[in-house]
Amino acid sequence: MEFPTQQKPSDGKIIYPPGVKEITDKITNDEVVKRLKMVVKTFMDMDQDSEDEKQQYMPLALHLSSEFFLRNPNKDVRLLVACCLADIFRIYAPEAPYTSHDKLKDIFLFITRQLKGLEDTKSPQFNRYFYLLENLAWVKSYNICFELEDCNEIFIQLFKTLFSVINNSHNQKVQMHMLDLMSSITMEGDGVTQELLDSILINLIPAHKNLNKQAFDLAKVLLKRTVQTIEPCIANFFNQVLVLGKSSVSDLSEHVFDLIQELFAIDPNLLVSVMPQLEFKLKSNDGEERLAVVRLLAKLFGSKDSDLANQNRPLWQCFLGRFNDIHVPVRLESVKFASHCLMNHPDLARDLTEFLKVRSHDPEEAIRHDVIVTIITAGKKDLSLVNDQLLGFVRERTLDKRWRVRKEAMMGLAQLYKKYCLHAEAGKEAADKVSWIKDKLLHIYYQNSIDDKLLVEKIFAQSLVPHNLETEERMKCLYYLYASLDPNAVKALNEMWKCQNMLRNHVRELLDLHKQPAVSLPLHSQLYFFFFFIENLPDPGKAQDFVKKFNQVLGDDEKLRSQLELLISPTCSCKQADVCVREIARKLANPKQPTNPFLEMVKFLLERIAPVHIDSEAISALVKLMNKSIEGTADDEEEGVSPDSAIRAGLELLKVLSFTHPTAFHSAETYESFLQCLRMDDDKVAEAAIQIFRNTGHRIEIDLPQIRSALIPILHQKAKRGTPHQAKQAVHCIHAIFSNKEVQLAQIFEPLSRSLNADVPEQLVTPLVSLGHISMLAPDQFASPMKSVVANFIVKDLLMNDRVRLLKTLTFVFLMSFAI
């Protein structure tokens, strides 16, 4: 590249520093660089007080601003010249030796271009680039440009350059000098133009922010440092775009909401004049525009460190009004915001509660759903963030007409219960606050929808009594849960076990039918199981196809039948059940079919029939817990129940389980505990214990003779002198579990029939109940003796003497005699 020969200034010859020869376009680049380095050293060492040197080197300073240097193609030459020019501005400050505005503009644009070299911190020349930046920042050299009409072009180029080169390899000094340079221009000028403001704000836009985090940080600190100066400019920009609708004023107009969010996070004072404009936008007739503003304000009000709601109450109240917006997406966005607000600003919960109440009854399913999500999300973070009224909204939605909403409410409450009651993560007070959840969830089992029932069963297995707990911990959880449930919840839980047991039995019967030849399988039996399974699975339409396919698979796959038979076997342990479920699911899974409706239906069935809670080990653990309550060494009081309540509830629980899992009770240790219960003074406890023996003791006589020997005299005593209920249960127990039941019943019947005394009517009820039930269970053996008791004692001694209060018992005895 050819440059014209440099003309010496008319007022004097160019004087170079000692040892420096003339620098012209006639010498090589290497020689130019060598000589310029000496010039740089000279100017670097000079200060403003060196008047003689300043005068001496004035021609050289002018020479260095010539086209030969400013347009030189060599990068090293340009860098050295820029360093010289920066020092010249320092030395000759406040008056620069360059009087032409065009020349000043060329010089500063030239210097700005050299600052791009700051990008590479590993460059051998980086220290010289840093020196250039430091010098410019320290002297505030760019402030000279305020005198130029088109100074804005220079400043914009400078800002863009600095933002583009900043990177994570720069140290704090580099960032500090860049900030000093830009903040002096921002604060000491007559104002920030829109183009210059754009060069700062563009670094806040998410796309740019993600590309260069250091540029974002630089812009953020610059804005914080210049907030007083730049705020009016920012306010004018947003006023032009938001209020006047002049999007053409800036290329960033389409990003105004992103910018407001970032500016608010940097310093709310940057938006002091902008917030009233947002209130105006919240009342826009355009639903999409209101939605955009709601999304923005949700972030501003909800951010953790924001105090905007208290600082700007009119805007907050206007924002709350959007909860009742006619536009569904606006209401939905408002509800979603509430979760973050509750978590970050619990002091605003009272303001939000009434609006969430209305939205919990919103006609839109999605909004009701998100109200639940909002409250539960906040509650899971910290239960103190949601008051009882908010939890009440979730409770109401468990009965919502839409399954999706009901499911979300039930699952959300289950999660809160598991966190605060089961795991006690926030202490007793928090546990008490949500203790009602267990009852409410079990009450839902009374609903007609099979979906509700299945979900309650799932919640019970995962949250109320998690099946993945170790046996002792799982049974402790069940023991105290049962003791603390209200009567309706207890009935629901009992019904749940009853339904699951019934389903197990039907699966067992279906497997038995598959063992028969296909031709011998009655049509009515097939139809019976077909309809039964449909009633016990979700989505009847899909369930029909499922039952057909499941029946076919069972017929074709013997290994699958074996796994299923093991799963429903009375001796299947909880660990075995878990393995069986996994094996069956694995066998039916299809890797090529990620979504498999048939497999989902199978899982529903398996979840209902798998004994994941109760086995022999679990029953033993429950009995040990009850024994501790009897001995007074249990944690009853700590768990919120009295020892008496724990014992009664434990016996009732075991009585229910004796119907559904009788085989699990068959051990000497377990029966010894029930014998101890039979000897207790509590009539209810004894009655439950007898019932358990009746339901589970079919093999006591063969396998546990020592238990048999101890049990018989107790049952005799209860039949003769226990309560009427105990007498009934004792008689039925003897009849159910002993092979010599005729002998045992005779040993009760004969002495009772001989000892009847009409003079002591209050002592007749138990004997008459026992006699009546013995007659009902063994009519052939006791027909004749019972007729004699009826004729000679009941009719003559009681009825003829008008013993009215024994009428109920006598009626029963008469019926027994007629049956005979």
Side-chain angles (χ1 to χ4, degrees):
M1 181 176 181
E2 293 290 328
F3 290 94
T5 303
Q6 298 300 306
Q7 300 297 320
K8 299 177 183 179
S10 58
D11 57 345
K13 181 181 178 181
I14 298 176
I15 299 175
Y16 290 91
V20 180
K21 295 181 180 180
E22 184 179 11
I23 304 174
T24 69
D25 59 352
K26 303 301 183 182
I27 60 178
T28 65
N29 282 333
D30 290 342
E31 188 61 29
V32 172
V33 169
K34 180 179 178 182
R35 296 178 188 184
L36 278 174
K37 285 182 178 179
M38 298 175 69
V39 175
V40 167
K41 179 68 168 62
T42 299
F43 283 124
M44 187 183 297
D45 294 337
M46 286 176 61
D47 57 41
Q48 291 180 321
D49 297 332
S50 305
E51 293 297 335
D52 292 340
E53 289 181 310
K54 287 163 63 175
Q55 187 64 31
Q56 178 184 354
Y57 292 122
M58 176 69 79
L60 178 59
L62 296 174
H63 178 53
L64 289 170
S65 69
S66 65
E67 291 296 308
F68 169 70
F69 294 109
L70 300 185
R71 302 289 182 185
N72 198 289
N74 187 279
K75 182 171 66 173
D76 292 336
V77 170
R78 295 197 305 272
L79 172 59
L80 292 169
V81 171
C83 290
C84 289
L85 292 172
D87 272 318
I88 288 169
F89 284 118
R90 171 180 61 80
I91 296 165
Y92 290 92
E95 298 295 332
Y98 313 106
T99 56
S100 167
H101 283 196
D102 290 340
K103 178 58 68 176
L104 278 173
K105 178 181 177 181
D106 288 343
I107 290 172
F108 277 102
L109 288 175
F110 167 76
I111 292 174
T112 299
R113 289 194 294 271
Q114 308 322 305
L115 289 174
K116 291 182 180 179
L118 288 166
E119 188 170 21
D120 185 7
T121 57
K122 295 181 180 179
S123 166
Q125 301 296 329
F126 178 76
N127 287 340
R128 204 174 290 279
Y129 284 114
F130 176 76
Y131 174 78
L132 174 62
L133 173 67
E134 183 181 43
N135 205 347
L136 293 168
W138 183 62
V139 182
K140 298 183 180 180
S141 302
Y142 275 85
N143 288 18
I144 296 173
C145 298
F146 287 134
E147 301 173 4
L148 307 180
E149 289 183 3
D150 50 359
C151 63
N152 202 47
E153 180 185 346
I154 299 170
F155 296 151
I156 291 170
Q157 192 61 43
L158 173 66
F159 278 42
K160 287 182 177 180
T161 299
L162 294 180
F163 282 123
S164 67
V165 300
I166 186 75
N167 58 67
N168 58 10
S169 63
H170 287 144
N171 59 30
Q172 191 173 0
K173 287 185 178 181
V174 174
Q175 298 176 29
M176 179 187 69
H177 292 318
M178 289 182 176
L179 280 170
D180 289 344
L181 198 55
M182 290 190 286
S183 60
S184 67
I185 292 171
T186 303
M187 293 189 292
E188 297 180 25
D190 293 333
V192 178
T193 64
Q194 185 60 51
E195 293 79 8
L196 186 58
L197 181 62
D198 285 354
S199 70
I200 301 172
L201 297 183
I202 195 172
N203 298 286
L204 308 184
I205 294 172
H208 288 259
K209 176 182 175 180
N210 295 333
L211 285 175
N212 192 340
K213 178 66 164 55
Q214 287 69 38
F216 168 78
D217 292 336
L218 184 64
K220 180 171 69 173
V221 178
L222 175 62
L223 288 165
K224 287 178 72 72
R225 184 183 287 191
T226 62
V227 60
Q228 296 299 326
T229 304
I230 209 167
E231 189 274 333
C233 307
I234 291 174
N236 179 64
F237 164 52
F238 286 116
N239 183 63
Q240 293 286 320
V241 177
L242 293 176
V243 179
L244 302 180
K246 296 181 179 179
S247 58
S248 59
V249 300
S250 168
D251 293 336
L252 303 181
S253 297
E254 61 184 278
H255 301 288
V256 285
F257 292 142
D258 288 331
L259 289 173
I260 290 175
Q261 182 183 344
E262 293 293 347
L263 289 169
F264 184 82
I266 292 169
D267 189 340
N269 290 320
L270 290 166
L271 299 172
V272 169
S273 304
V274 177
M275 289 306 169
Q277 299 172 13
L278 293 178
E279 185 176 343
F280 166 77
K281 280 294 182 182
L282 275 176
K283 300 174 182 178
S284 168
N285 292 327
D286 185 343
E288 290 303 314
E289 193 169 49
R290 294 198 307 277
L291 177 60
V293 180
V294 165
R295 284 175 175 160
L296 168 65
L297 287 176
K299 295 171 183 175
L300 303 191
F301 284 121
S303 62
K304 191 168 185 179
D305 300 323
S306 171
D307 195 34
L308 182 61
N310 293 320
Q311 291 178 346
N312 197 328
R313 295 300 293 181
L315 182 62
W316 170 242
Q317 292 299 328
C318 186
F319 174 77
L320 289 178
R322 294 309 95 209
F323 276 82
N324 299 327
D325 198 282
I326 192 173
H327 197 41
V328 172
V330 174
R331 299 203 305 275
L332 192 59
E333 196 66 35
S334 300
V335 167
K336 288 179 178 179
F337 148 79
S339 176
H340 300 288
C341 190
L342 286 171
M343 289 189 285
N344 294 333
H345 302 284
D347 54 304
L348 298 176
R350 181 177 297 178
D351 291 346
L352 293 171
T353 298
E354 286 305 313
F355 290 96
L356 286 174
K357 178 181 180 180
V358 176
R359 294 285 63 80
S360 70
H361 297 90
D362 196 283
E364 288 293 327
E365 173 186 338
I367 294 178
R368 300 196 305 276
H369 175 273
D370 277 19
V371 168
I372 296 165
V373 173
T374 289
I375 297 171
I376 295 299
T377 301
K380 285 195 293 187
K381 181 179 180 182
D382 186 345
L383 192 60
S384 65
L385 299 177
V386 293
N387 54 40
D388 291 338
Q389 197 172 359
L390 290 172
L391 290 175
F393 302 159
V394 181
R395 181 174 185 157
E396 289 177 1
R397 291 306 97 208
T398 60
L399 300 176
D400 196 277
K401 60 184 178 181
R402 295 292 185 181
W403 163 239
R404 176 174 174 241
V405 180
R406 297 199 307 275
K407 180 180 178 181
E408 191 65 40
M410 292 163 66
M411 291 297 293
L413 290 177
Q415 290 165 7
L416 292 184
Y417 179 85
K418 186 174 183 179
K419 181 181 179 72
Y420 295 111
C421 286
L422 204 59
H423 296 159
E425 291 190 8
K428 189 176 185 305
E429 185 177 347
D432 291 341
K433 184 176 180 179
V434 293
S435 61
W436 55 268
I437 289 177
K438 60 185 183 301
D439 297 308
K440 177 58 183 174
L441 291 175
L442 288 170
H443 290 170
I444 296 170
Y445 204 75
Y446 291 110
Q447 297 299 312
N448 292 327
S449 168
I450 186 63
D451 290 311
D452 289 316
K453 294 180 185 293
L454 290 174
L455 185 56
V456 172
E457 292 180 6
K458 185 174 183 178
I459 286 172
F460 178 81
Q462 293 182 353
S463 299
L464 300 187
V465 183
H467 66 86
N468 55 0
L469 295 176
E470 291 299 323
T471 303
E472 289 77 11
E473 190 63 27
R474 186 172 73 245
M475 289 303 100
K476 182 178 181 180
C477 182
L478 176 59
Y479 184 70
Y480 289 111
L481 173 76
Y482 202 85
S484 59
L485 292 175
D486 68 31
N488 289 329
V490 168
K491 289 178 183 177
L493 183 53
N494 295 344
E495 181 65 20
M496 184 186 81
W497 282 324
K498 177 183 174 183
C499 290
Q500 291 175 337
N501 188 56
M502 186 184 303
L503 189 58
R504 271 195 294 273
N505 290 334
H506 282 294
V507 172
R508 187 177 295 111
E509 292 170 8
L510 180 61
L511 289 173
D512 290 341
L513 286 175
H514 273 282
K515 294 177 182 178
Q516 301 176 17
V519 293
S520 66
L521 194 61
L523 179 61
H524 70 273
S525 297
Q526 297 181 49
L527 291 174
Y528 171 76
F529 288 111
F530 182 83
F531 288 116
F532 179 81
F533 283 119
I534 288 177
E535 290 176 358
N536 283 273
L537 292 171
D539 196 341
K542 293 180 180 178
Q544 291 183 28
D545 297 333
F546 158 74
V547 173
K548 292 177 183 177
K549 184 174 180 179
F550 184 64
N551 194 45
Q552 181 181 350
V553 170
L554 285 179
D556 297 340
D557 195 327
E558 185 178 350
K559 289 184 178 179
L560 183 65
R561 291 202 305 272
S562 298
Q563 287 283 357
L564 200 55
E565 284 178 353
L566 176 58
L567 183 64
I568 60 174
S569 167
T571 58
C572 182
S573 69
C574 296
K575 292 180 180 178
Q576 286 178 318
D578 189 49
V579 173
C580 285
V581 169
R582 287 203 305 270
E583 284 297 315
I584 294 173
R586 183 186 61 79
K587 191 171 182 61
L588 295 176
N590 185 352
K592 297 180 180 179
Q593 188 179 4
T595 56
N596 188 340
F598 175 68
L599 179 58
E600 291 303 313
M601 285 290 188
V602 171
K603 286 181 178 179
F604 272 118
L605 177 62
L606 297 180
E607 286 174 0
R608 299 201 73 189
I609 66 175
V612 294
H613 282 103
I614 306 300
D615 57 11
S616 298
E617 188 180 348
I619 293 298
S620 178
L622 270 178
V623 171
K624 288 177 182 177
L625 279 169
M626 186 183 66
N627 287 341
K628 286 184 178 180
S629 294
I630 294 171
E631 296 163 1
T633 60
D635 301 329
D636 300 334
E637 298 292 348
E638 294 178 15
E639 297 292 338
V641 296
S642 67
D644 289 342
S645 298
I647 296 168
R648 283 195 177 194
L651 258 297
E652 285 299 316
L653 170 60
L654 288 163
K655 185 174 77 173
V656 172
L657 295 176
S658 71
F659 283 100
T660 57
H661 300 78
T663 306
F665 285 75
H666 197 69
S667 75
E669 184 181 14
T670 297
Y671 286 133
E672 285 288 354
S673 297
F674 294 133
L675 287 174
Q676 185 179 355
C677 292
L678 284 175
R679 299 184 183 100
M680 293 177 64
D681 295 333
D682 192 315
D683 293 337
K684 291 288 185 181
V685 170
E687 183 182 337
I690 298 172
Q691 181 71 64
I692 291 170
F693 274 110
R694 176 186 172 183
N695 295 338
T696 67
H698 300 91
R699 295 187 58 83
I700 284 179
E701 194 168 40
I702 299 172
D703 299 336
L704 302 169
Q706 71 279 16
I707 299 297
R708 175 187 182 280
S709 300
L711 178 60
I712 288 175
I714 298 176
L715 293 178
H716 282 205
Q717 187 269 338
K718 295 296 182 184
K720 295 174 182 177
R721 290 180 291 278
T723 66
H725 287 291
Q726 291 174 359
K728 170 188 173 181
Q729 294 296 342
V731 169
H732 281 266
C733 184
I734 291 171
H735 185 268
I737 68 176
F738 295 126
S739 58
N740 62 340
K741 52 193 172 188
E742 293 84 0
V743 176
Q744 298 292 338
L745 293 176
Q747 291 177 1
I748 299 171
F749 188 91
E750 293 172 4
L752 283 181
S753 62
R754 291 195 302 268
S755 63
L756 293 174
N757 186 351
D759 294 331
V760 192
E762 63 272 9
Q763 296 180 2
L764 287 174
V765 177
T766 294
L768 289 175
V769 167
S770 293
L771 292 172
H773 281 279
I774 290 172
S775 303
M776 179 184 70
L777 294 172
D780 294 339
Q781 182 180 356
F782 298 101
S784 180
M786 193 60 195
K787 288 178 180 178
S788 176
V789 170
V790 172
N792 297 328
F793 176 73
I794 295 177
V795 175
K796 290 182 180 180
D797 291 353
L798 295 181
L799 292 183
M800 299 303 290
N801 292 322
D802 195 20
R803 306 284 186 177
V804 178
R805 57 187 183 146
L806 291 175
L807 183 59
K808 182 178 179 181
T809 302
L810 296 176
T811 302
F812 170 77
V813 176
F814 268 121
L815 290 174
M816 293 304 99
S817 64
F818 291 147
I820 294 170

